[in-house]
Amino acid sequence: ENFRYGLVNVSTQMYIKSNLGGFKGFSGHCSYNRTNGAMLVPDPEGNFKEVLQICRIEDKRLVYKKQGVVWNFPSSSEGCVKVELCVIKSGVKISLTDRWYNPVDETVGDEAAISFNVTKRGDWQTIIVKYNTNTMKAKIIVGDDEKEVELKAYAPNGLSYLHIQTIAEEEDQSGTLIRSFEKF
């Protein structure tokens, strides 16, 4: 995903406080009004491309303040996910799961098979996660840094979702920029 066609392949919505109780025919998060969360902004390198900006906006109308993005890829028990990002201020939590979570769901890190924070500010960096749900192991590669981890949750049908969310605890309108992600 390189956002060439906008945000059609990802979920970024946030929820606005609304009257709940299923009066719209739905209950739970389905009955909330929605608004845009993470949005595309011009790439700061001036190349006429757009990148995804994930940040935290303090708006009392929002149910949750942390922006995020969720991307669905073909399910597999073993594979590799690559994310190209640039942390401007607050970093992000990157999680791989076997099911969809709301982009604003702050519990995804507790439930995901793999979840870790990226906080190093500065230049663009490539994050690679190689996983195998059969062996319950993953390798996280950030630049020259490589770490092997155990999967935290069993995923019998493999992993199929990338969830990235800001870790900002206070307003951060700069956040993190994401240029692309891919699964291979």
Side-chain angles (χ1 to χ4, degrees):
E1 180 61 45
N2 60 11
F3 312 112
R4 182 175 296 150
Y5 300 107
L7 299 175
V8 297
N9 296 319
V10 298
S11 300
T12 63
Q13 75 273 4
M14 298 182 82
Y15 300 102
I16 299 172
K17 294 176 184 172
S18 305
N19 291 327
L20 302 178
F23 73 96
K24 296 177 186 173
F26 302 101
S27 59
H29 75 273
C30 294
S31 63
Y32 280 107
N33 288 322
R34 298 167 189 223
T35 190
N36 295 327
M39 298 174 67
L40 293 174
V41 298
D43 189 325
E45 292 188 356
N47 56 18
F48 300 103
K49 293 181 181 179
E50 291 182 305
V51 295
L52 185 67
Q53 181 182 39
I54 298 178
C55 52
R56 180 182 172 125
I57 305 297
E58 290 299 324
D59 185 333
K60 63 183 177 186
R61 297 171 297 172
L62 295 174
V63 177
Y64 306 102
K65 312 284 194 287
K66 291 183 176 184
Q67 293 180 350
V69 62
V70 182
W71 180 58
N72 179 226
F73 55 84
S75 183
S76 64
S77 58
E78 101 181 71
C80 187
V81 173
K82 179 174 138 183
V83 179
E84 188 177 8
L85 59 75
C86 178
V87 176
I88 306 296
K89 189 172 179 186
S90 297
V92 290
K93 178 178 291 301
I94 296 177
S95 303
L96 293 175
T97 70
D98 62 347
R99 59 190 169 275
W100 187 85
Y101 287 86
N102 273 297
V104 295
D105 190 332
E106 294 184 30
T107 66
V108 69
D110 300 328
E111 305 287 328
I114 303 165
S115 191
F116 59 96
N117 292 344
V118 178
T119 58
K120 182 182 172 196
R121 294 181 187 178
D123 295 332
W124 289 94
Q125 51 189 316
T126 301
I127 315 298
I128 298 173
V129 181
K130 296 179 180 180
Y131 64 87
N132 186 323
T133 60
N134 297 320
T135 63
M136 296 293 288
K137 299 215 182 282
K139 193 177 289 188
I140 300 169
I141 304 164
V142 181
D144 293 334
D145 215 16
E146 191 173 305
K147 178 171 72 170
E148 192 165 304
V149 297
E150 297 263 338
L151 270 59
K152 299 186 308 180
Y154 180 60
N157 298 314
L159 299 177
S160 55
Y161 288 92
L162 171 66
H163 188 285
I164 305 174
Q165 185 180 75
T166 182
I167 58 174
E169 292 299 328
E170 296 177 359
E171 185 165 56
D172 172 12
Q173 294 188 19
S174 300
T176 297
L177 302 176
I178 299 176
R179 185 173 281 152
S180 66
F181 32 79
E182 66 179 299
K183 193 266 183 185
F184 49 96

